[in-house]
Amino acid sequence: MLKRQRLRNHEYYDFQRTLDDLYAESCNGRCFRHLMDSIQQEENILLAYRNIKSNKGSHTKGTDGRTIQSLASMHPKELVHCIRKKLSNYFPQSIRRVEIPKPDGRKRPLGIPTIGDRMVQQCILQILEPICEAKFFKHSYGFRPLRSAHHAVARAHFLTQVAHLHYVVDIDIKGFFDNIDHGKLLKQLWTLGIRDKSLLKVISKMLKAEIEGIGIPHKGTPQGGILSPLLANVVLNELDWWIASQWERHKTRYPYQPDKRDGSMGHMYEALKKTELKEVNIVRYADDFKLFCRNHNHARRVFSAVQLWLSERLGLEISPAKSRITNLRKSYSDFLGIKFKVRPKGSRSVKGVKKTRYVAKSRLADKAKQRIVDRVRQYVKGLQHSQEDDGPVFVHDYNSYVIGVHSYYSCATMCSMDFSEIAFLSLSIRKNRLSLRS
């Protein structure tokens, strides 16, 4: 719904054509040297305000104590003038630091810019996004328009079920958002064709914005900033294309063409399998990604190569405790709250030789199930101690949460078994805590 709302906002200000033109020009390899003119357009600024207004985070205060309400009282012309003035000599205000609990008990640091800086970031995001989208790899699914976690899960299902890649390399980057190299990031933006030096200076100042209670950061981009997800994708886009160049987009002497029926490159892949190349495919959602390989030897070599590449090219380290190679025929592998495995089901004949046929199965991850049960317990506790007039509100919130859980996790092939288990546990919680009110 949010993505549809943003599309309507673009059409309301007749700005979609401008974004489509930027995307088309980026596809054709154009370098953009005057993007600040587009960023400061009146339609772009008003569109940024409307997009931020529809976001729940717009009511979160920054270090200056202001929210979207402080901008709502301004006349549109006044708002446009204020943002243009801010961009003409940009200096970001300090960032408010907030820590939120993670499922494992640790704290996740968030950086919340002021509402004025969020407006500037949104203006920049709306112009940079179509340019970067044209250069991003197709199997990156996090924080991108018209893509979701379900697309990433579907791709992982395809690679296990259809491509029969049953060895998964799980790599966890240690503190990814806090360790992004600023200089490297600006060079990557330049490589993508964003060569407006005035804009790059503004982004550089954003990255160096003072964090309340900590000081000026020398690396990293704050989680919580509007521009941070796009910049994270820019950083890891280089990894996507490097992995693709090892197999999926490997250059061949013969110019193979896509199949006329389904657009696949099956003939090229069959030829590549006869070489000594290591078959590897990537599925990425933000900084959470998996590498699917044909056998354990390939997976082991890919693991070492990616670890070395991340260290030398991006200056990032992996977490040894959370990074591993998983054989899907023996163990589950978690991805975006869903765990995957393959199980034997009959046999198939390949060139006259019978081989065991494997099919993919997926269920809710153990942590996801526990998180759902804990959340249900919180809702029931709230309903138990609510006043009579507040009861319908808690029931509505609980029903909305259950619908959301069903909507997200229904893509798992064996979700009904997990839903039954959660339903049994939640039923006992409701029976023990709730009683009929006379």
Side-chain angles (χ1 to χ4, degrees):
M1 289 297 293
L2 181 60
K3 294 178 180 179
R4 292 180 182 175
Q5 180 62 47
R6 289 190 174 182
L7 181 59
R8 286 196 292 269
N9 292 345
H10 293 168
E11 293 172 346
Y12 179 80
Y13 289 106
D14 196 22
F15 205 65
Q16 187 61 44
R17 183 176 298 176
T18 302
L19 302 181
D20 291 341
D21 290 342
L22 288 172
Y23 179 86
E25 290 169 355
S26 182
C27 286
N28 293 330
R30 179 191 166 187
C31 295
F32 301 87
R33 293 182 170 84
H34 304 285
L35 289 174
M36 288 298 288
D37 297 337
S38 300
I39 290 170
Q40 297 184 69
Q41 283 185 19
E42 179 177 349
E43 296 82 2
N44 187 49
I45 295 173
L46 295 178
L47 176 61
Y49 169 76
R50 184 173 283 245
N51 284 334
I52 289 180
K53 185 181 178 181
S54 62
N55 194 328
K56 293 181 180 179
S58 61
H59 299 285
T60 304
K61 295 180 180 179
T63 53
D64 59 354
R66 300 171 66 198
T67 66
I68 194 68
Q69 298 299 327
S70 61
L71 301 181
S73 59
M74 300 174 67
H75 189 274
K77 295 289 184 183
E78 184 184 358
L79 176 62
V80 171
H81 175 73
C82 178
I83 299 301
R84 284 176 175 172
K85 184 179 179 181
K86 192 175 181 68
L87 280 167
S88 63
N89 189 21
Y90 183 70
F91 284 98
Q93 294 175 276
S94 60
I95 296 173
R96 184 164 75 94
R97 187 179 177 87
V98 177
E99 292 185 342
I100 60 174
K102 296 174 68 174
D104 58 3
R106 295 182 299 167
K107 299 287 186 179
R108 183 190 302 277
L110 294 183
I112 303 175
T114 61
I115 192 63
D117 288 332
R118 274 179 271 175
M119 274 290 297
V120 171
Q121 290 190 26
Q122 183 67 34
C123 290
I124 295 174
L125 173 68
Q126 290 167 180
I127 298 300
L128 290 191
E129 192 171 62
I131 297 173
C132 295
E133 275 296 314
K135 302 294 178 67
F136 283 164
F137 187 56
K138 64 180 180 179
H139 294 311
S140 162
Y141 300 97
F143 306 114
R144 295 182 62 183
L146 304 179
R147 292 168 183 254
S148 68
H150 281 176
H151 293 102
V153 171
R155 177 63 181 171
H157 261 292
F158 174 84
L159 292 174
T160 54
Q161 175 78 35
V162 181
H164 309 297
L165 301 178
H166 298 160
Y167 288 84
V168 177
V169 179
D170 295 316
I171 293 183
D172 182 84
I173 301 176
K174 189 185 298 182
F176 170 67
F177 282 91
D178 296 330
N179 290 292
I180 292 176
D181 185 277
H182 293 171
K184 177 67 176 177
L185 171 57
L186 295 174
K187 289 178 182 177
Q188 289 174 317
L189 288 171
W190 183 275
T191 303
L192 292 179
I194 301 166
R195 301 188 178 182
D196 187 332
K197 294 184 179 180
S198 300
L199 173 58
L200 294 177
K201 287 180 182 178
V202 170
I203 295 175
S204 179
K205 290 179 180 179
M206 284 181 180
L207 296 172
K208 299 291 185 183
E210 181 182 359
I211 300 176
E212 188 180 39
I214 295 180
I216 298 175
H218 299 290
K219 59 181 180 179
T221 177
Q223 297 185 60
I226 291 176
L227 204 55
S228 295
L230 178 67
L231 297 180
N233 275 332
V234 169
V235 172
L236 291 179
N237 182 57
E238 192 174 344
L239 171 68
D240 296 339
W241 285 104
W242 178 70
I243 293 293
S245 69
Q246 306 303 306
W247 181 264
E248 193 171 350
R249 295 297 180 93
H250 186 77
K251 293 182 180 180
T252 58
R253 294 180 182 178
Y254 181 80
Y256 290 94
Q257 298 299 322
D259 192 285
K260 294 181 180 179
R261 294 172 297 176
D262 55 9
S264 66
M265 299 293 290
H267 295 297
M268 186 185 80
Y269 298 147
E270 288 298 325
L272 290 177
K273 288 177 182 178
K274 299 176 182 178
T275 68
E276 296 183 358
L277 292 173
K278 299 162 191 64
E279 186 172 358
V280 56
N281 288 267
I282 186 171
V283 182
R284 183 171 67 83
Y285 190 93
D287 61 329
D288 189 1
F289 64 92
K290 289 187 177 294
L291 305 171
F292 291 81
C293 301
R294 180 68 60 184
N295 55 56
H296 185 270
N297 182 44
H298 286 182
R300 183 173 53 82
R301 291 172 180 267
V302 166
F303 183 95
S304 300
V306 172
Q307 181 179 7
L308 183 64
W309 191 93
L310 286 171
S311 176
E312 293 183 349
R313 296 283 296 188
L314 301 181
L316 298 172
E317 297 181 2
I318 71 169
S319 174
K322 296 181 180 179
S323 303
R324 63 183 66 86
I325 298 173
T326 304
N327 181 355
L328 295 180
R329 299 177 185 179
K330 297 180 179 180
S331 307
Y332 280 102
S333 177
D334 291 3
F335 188 45
L336 302 176
I338 292 174
K339 60 181 183 180
F340 294 87
K341 192 179 182 181
V342 294
R343 60 183 178 85
K345 185 179 180 181
S347 61
R348 59 192 177 100
S349 179
V350 180
K351 296 181 179 179
V353 179
K354 281 191 175 183
K355 292 188 176 181
T356 304
R357 180 171 173 260
Y358 290 90
V359 295
K361 69 172 184 177
S362 55
R363 303 184 63 170
L364 277 67
D366 297 336
K367 290 182 179 179
K369 282 198 295 186
Q370 186 59 49
R371 188 164 57 246
I372 293 169
V373 173
D374 292 342
R375 190 72 180 274
V376 168
R377 186 176 287 110
Q378 292 176 7
Y379 277 113
V380 174
K381 282 183 180 179
L383 183 58
Q384 180 186 13
H385 300 293
S386 66
Q387 300 297 323
E388 188 171 352
D389 294 339
D390 296 334
V393 177
F394 279 94
V395 172
H396 177 271
D397 292 344
Y398 173 77
N399 289 339
S400 298
Y401 177 72
V402 171
I403 291 172
V405 167
H406 274 264
S407 177
Y408 180 80
Y409 291 104
S410 60
C411 62
T413 58
M414 303 180 70
C415 62
S416 59
M417 297 177 65
D418 296 308
F419 287 157
S420 298
E421 182 181 342
I422 294 171
F424 174 77
L425 295 173
S426 62
L427 179 63
S428 62
I429 294 171
R430 293 197 303 271
K431 279 186 174 182
N432 293 334
R433 288 192 171 271
L434 301 180
S435 59
L436 293 175
R437 295 181 178 179
S438 57

